[in-house]
Amino acid sequence: MFPQARPTTWNPEPVDVARTTVDDAVEVLTGLRFTALTGAGVSTDSGIPDYRGPDSPPRSPMTYQQFVGDEEFRRHYWARNHVGWQHVNRSVPNAGHRALVRLEERDVLAGIITQNVDLLHEDAGSRNVIDLHGRYDRVICLSCSRVISRTHLAERLDALNPGFLESVGDVADIEIAPDADAVIESTAHFRPAPCEFCGGVLKPEIVYFGENVPRERVERAFGLVDSADALLVAGSSLTVMSGLRFVRHAAEASKPVVIVNRGITRGDKYATVKIEQGTSDVLDQLDLRL
């Protein structure tokens, strides 16, 4: 089995990387075709906060075991998600997403492996995207495997919970996590919806901590890394193995690794270039100069 995505006890320690500027990245990547691995930091300029950025509050995402094993956890999750998914649904791509589209159009970028579930790469126009951790806009039944849209589920949840969204208040005033989880506490009165086909448990089509990324998806992602000459990491701390393994794979194949992220990442020791800047500006510069 591939390693599970799970919370980590990794304590970040700084690693000195000799090359640290956009000029260095341009020099390394010029003439090469690269794959991009993106994380939550790419979407912060679209108003979606990240998990582990320097200014991010501590978060404890729900594990797969908690979700499937405890009805109260599921109720609490769906109440929060019913608020948070609307924020993600209203978000729009930023300059970093658009820069990656242009790089792909010129065949400088082979494709994108994203740890995000917000679909902003696709919304921007990127064509070759692997949504490693799933996507926020679909829901799957754990019993019959039927997949429905999150929009359809929202209609059912509204009918089951009249006035709930109004009681919570303006979503703009609520803290939202990258997986569309909203930080609200009063959820005891919320009624989750069962699968309308078999009565089973519904779950967002998102890979939870403690859950395996589907094998086929991981193999496609490794193939995308192998198809390129270099790997560009943008906006990920690489804290969990689901992303770090691609950096290790590229480094083991002697492919250059360029990391753009505010703050320490778990992959810094593999980096050819490490740029401590925001992703939107750096990706825009790379598009202009490569």
Side-chain angles (χ1 to χ4, degrees):
M1 295 292 288
F2 289 108
Q4 294 177 330
R6 55 165 62 98
T8 178
T9 57
W10 169 63
N11 294 314
E13 295 182 0
V15 175
D16 287 331
V17 180
R19 312 189 72 175
T20 60
T21 70
V22 176
D23 288 341
D24 292 325
V26 170
E27 182 179 342
V28 167
L29 295 175
T30 293
L32 301 183
R33 187 169 180 262
F34 59 86
T35 290
L37 170 64
T38 67
V42 165
S43 295
T44 55
D45 286 345
S46 294
I48 301 175
D50 58 9
Y51 274 118
R52 301 178 183 88
D55 301 318
S56 298
R59 302 186 193 277
S60 298
M62 186 175 294
T63 68
Y64 179 75
Q65 291 74 19
Q66 288 171 327
F67 184 88
V68 300
D70 191 312
E71 185 176 352
E72 289 301 301
F73 270 109
R74 289 197 296 275
R75 174 191 51 72
H76 189 58
Y77 176 84
W78 277 119
R80 292 162 62 116
N81 180 269
H82 192 45
V83 176
W85 89 280
Q86 298 179 69
H87 176 79
V88 176
N89 197 47
R90 290 198 295 264
S91 299
V92 297
N94 59 53
H97 296 109
R98 294 190 292 271
L100 290 172
V101 173
R102 293 190 296 270
L103 286 162
E104 183 185 26
E105 288 173 345
R106 301 201 309 275
D107 202 33
V108 176
L109 178 68
I112 299 169
I113 304 163
T114 185
Q115 297 173 283
N116 301 336
V117 300
D118 55 36
L119 300 181
L120 290 180
H121 287 300
E122 289 91 337
D123 290 346
S126 290
R127 297 184 301 275
N128 190 13
V129 182
I130 298 173
D131 295 300
L132 190 65
H133 292 163
R135 42 191 293 170
Y136 83 98
D137 68 332
R138 296 198 300 217
V139 177
I140 188 168
C141 175
L142 296 180
S143 296
C144 70
S145 300
R146 293 282 190 103
V147 175
I148 63 171
S149 74
R150 185 62 183 81
T151 301
H152 176 63
L153 179 61
E155 296 170 353
R156 295 184 61 206
L157 290 175
D158 281 338
L160 286 169
N161 300 276
F164 175 76
L165 292 177
E166 291 77 7
S167 71
V168 170
D170 189 347
V171 69
D173 298 327
I174 298 171
E175 181 186 329
I176 307 293
D179 58 358
D181 186 27
V183 181
I184 55 176
E185 301 302 328
S186 180
T187 63
H189 57 298
F190 191 82
R191 295 178 60 195
C195 174
E196 60 194 302
F197 302 101
C198 73
V201 171
L202 295 176
K203 171 186 168 293
E205 201 174 35
I206 294 172
V207 177
Y208 281 29
F209 285 102
E211 185 179 9
N212 288 312
V213 177
R215 176 180 292 272
E216 177 272 337
R217 198 178 299 167
V218 176
E219 289 176 344
R220 282 196 294 120
F222 274 121
L224 191 54
V225 175
D226 287 339
S227 72
D229 307 309
L231 180 66
L232 170 68
V233 179
S236 175
S237 65
L238 301 170
T239 302
V240 294
M241 185 56 68
S242 65
L244 180 62
R245 56 187 160 190
F246 301 115
V247 175
R248 288 180 173 175
H249 185 73
E252 288 168 359
S254 299
K255 297 176 187 278
V257 175
V258 174
I259 298 178
V260 183
N261 191 69
R262 292 189 187 276
I264 299 167
T265 86
R266 200 175 179 185
D268 286 354
K269 64 182 177 181
Y270 304 105
T272 311
V273 178
K274 168 66 186 300
I275 303 172
E276 293 244 5
Q277 295 181 37
T279 57
S280 293
D281 180 58
V282 173
L283 292 174
D284 210 32
Q285 290 187 60
L286 291 178
D287 169 50
L288 290 171
R289 300 175 61 183
L290 290 177

